[in-house]
Amino acid sequence: MKQVVILGGGYGGMRILERLLSSDLPDDVRFTLVDRMPFHGLKTEYYALAAGTEPESAIRVPFPRDSRLTIKHGEVTAIDLDEQIICMLDGEQLRYDWLVIALGCEDRYHNIPGADQYTCSIQTLEATRRTYAAVNNVPPYGQVTIVGGGLSGVEMAAELRESRPDLNIRILDRGESILSPFPRKLQQYASQWFAEHDVELVSRSQVNRVEPDAVYNYDQALPTDVIVWTAGIQANRIVRALPVEQDNSGRVILNQYHQIPSHPNVFVAGDCASLPFAPSAQLAEAQGDQIAIILKADLTGGEYPASLPKIKLKGVLGSLGKKEGFGVMGKVSLVGQMPRVLKSGVLWMYKNHLG
């Protein structure tokens, strides 16, 4: 029996399963999907769950059902690449012939004292549930501080403003403007939206300490009821512990076929893979498409293509509440209602397996 194990039912893992389960494969191929949750969570929408504007049922997508697929729920504690064994928290060991590591990312706290202890996260569904409780238990006129003015921080702040107009909300960002990787037009549009909706923006900040009821910017205490951390990510700790070459965020350096060079039966997808793009759901899916091509060749005895096509991303869409948004499609910057409608459409298509 040929055993393929996929660690992580996120965007990359789901795409690989969808492609391979719909392919003609030998009868002796079996798949095992390992995930902590009993469903795929739409991580790009966790900010809405945390803010209280979407129920959890709206961000759940069922895992595929197939007689060749076994779903194992649990926590991975270690991977032995040489012995081809996955160790689970419950003591079980899973063996594989081929492995896909798609365990996602974790918050990166940059060695800032207290950041890992006293801030809330939206990186996992479990953490997002706790963030929802913390944020929505803040009393009227309380203060919520979001550290990090990238896409996640901006969407979280905007959604929270619509959910809780009674709260004081601030974003701390170390750049000159929020959304620093985006075109200037989008930065200005989002900044103006926050000005009109009474969200405080603190640019060029330097968070150097976090305490239970305060975040310190250049050693100045900013009192706050809740702190939400969106100031950077790194590869999952299981991946960072692997004895393989990694980049400075703990992502694995791969060959042209998305394999670990020393262990070509092991693929790495999504936020754990070192690629020349910023991590995103779209990137994980595009990489999943390519991994499925190579895995199918392995499983059927086929030949690898001389090279894989370059990954081309369609763009990025972000929301400012439920009615406005921003985005980049190719070289075109979009602001206003259109990018928000486009984002809602993409989400609907994904949930209905149409793209």
Side-chain angles (χ1 to χ4, degrees):
M1 196 68 67
K2 299 174 181 177
Q3 184 65 47
V4 180
V5 176
I6 299 176
L7 302 182
Y11 293 95
M14 284 282 281
R15 179 58 61 91
I16 293 167
L17 275 177
E18 288 168 1
R19 293 292 185 257
L20 290 177
L21 291 176
S22 62
S23 300
D24 293 327
L25 297 174
D27 293 337
D28 61 346
V29 175
R30 293 294 182 270
F31 297 90
T32 298
L33 172 65
V34 180
D35 199 276
R36 289 176 293 195
M37 299 189 298
F39 45 78
H40 166 54
L42 297 174
K43 189 175 180 180
T44 59
E45 305 304 303
Y46 282 4
Y47 69 90
L49 174 61
T53 58
E54 292 286 350
E56 185 173 316
S57 59
I59 62 170
R60 294 180 177 183
V61 175
F63 288 136
R65 292 184 178 181
D66 192 283
S67 60
R68 297 164 293 178
L69 173 64
T70 299
I71 298 177
K72 163 73 176 176
H73 300 303
E75 185 84 22
V76 177
T77 58
I79 302 170
D80 189 324
L81 297 175
D82 294 326
E83 297 296 328
Q84 299 185 187
I85 292 174
I86 300 152
C87 299
M88 305 295 296
L89 184 61
D90 61 6
E92 184 178 357
Q93 293 186 340
L94 303 179
R95 294 188 176 274
Y96 63 85
D97 298 302
W98 288 271
L99 176 65
V100 178
I101 302 174
L103 289 170
C105 62
E106 300 175 352
D107 289 301
R108 189 174 187 178
Y109 297 106
H110 310 286
N111 297 317
I112 296 173
D116 60 337
Q117 295 174 275
Y118 305 123
T119 66
C120 297
S121 171
I122 55 174
Q123 287 303 326
T124 67
L125 183 57
E126 181 181 1
T128 302
R129 289 169 178 152
R130 293 195 296 267
T131 300
Y132 164 79
V135 165
N136 287 280
N137 282 330
V138 174
Y141 314 117
Q143 177 73 56
V144 174
T145 299
I146 297 170
V147 180
L151 180 61
S152 296
V154 163
E155 290 188 313
M156 176 71 198
E159 205 80 5
L160 185 59
R161 169 49 73 223
E162 290 198 351
S163 172
R164 293 289 305 272
D166 56 291
L167 293 179
N168 297 299
I169 303 170
R170 73 163 68 94
I171 300 177
L172 299 178
D173 190 71
R174 63 181 180 180
E176 294 184 3
S177 170
I178 56 173
L179 298 175
S180 57
F182 289 81
R184 186 65 179 168
K185 176 183 178 180
L186 273 60
Q187 297 176 21
Q188 294 173 339
Y189 183 84
S191 296
Q192 182 62 33
W193 191 95
F194 283 126
E196 293 172 357
H197 290 81
D198 196 28
V199 173
E200 179 187 4
L201 301 180
V202 181
S203 302
R204 302 185 184 88
S205 66
Q206 184 64 53
V207 174
N208 52 17
R209 190 162 89 254
V210 178
E211 294 184 353
D213 56 357
V215 57
Y216 286 76
N217 182 32
Y218 291 102
D219 289 324
Q220 178 186 1
L222 302 177
T224 187
D225 293 284
V226 170
I227 306 163
V228 181
W229 192 267
T230 62
I233 58 174
Q234 59 186 341
N236 183 283
R237 66 193 64 189
I238 303 300
V239 173
R240 301 200 311 270
L242 292 176
V244 297
E245 186 179 4
Q246 302 169 0
D247 64 18
N248 60 8
S249 294
R251 302 185 183 102
V252 180
I253 306 297
L254 304 171
N255 65 17
Q256 62 175 324
Y257 298 114
H258 308 291
Q259 300 160 320
I260 296 178
S262 59
H263 297 79
N265 65 327
V266 181
F267 300 82
V268 183
D271 297 342
C272 295
S274 182
L275 298 171
F277 304 94
S280 68
Q282 185 182 172
L283 176 61
E285 290 185 320
Q287 192 189 10
D289 283 330
Q290 296 193 349
I291 290 174
I293 293 172
I294 302 304
L295 252 177
K296 184 177 180 181
D298 281 346
L299 296 170
T300 60
E303 295 185 359
Y304 286 7
S307 63
L308 290 168
K310 290 184 178 179
I311 291 176
K312 295 182 179 180
L313 303 181
K314 297 177 181 179
V316 180
L317 295 168
S319 65
L320 293 169
K322 298 301 185 188
K323 296 182 179 179
E324 296 185 60
F326 54 90
V328 178
M329 307 296 287
K331 296 183 179 180
V332 179
S333 296
L334 304 172
V335 296
Q337 292 184 340
M338 181 181 293
R340 188 64 182 93
V341 171
L342 287 173
K343 182 179 179 182
S344 296
V346 170
L347 180 63
W348 183 87
M349 291 175 64
Y350 184 87
K351 291 177 70 175
N352 289 276
H353 305 287
L354 299 176

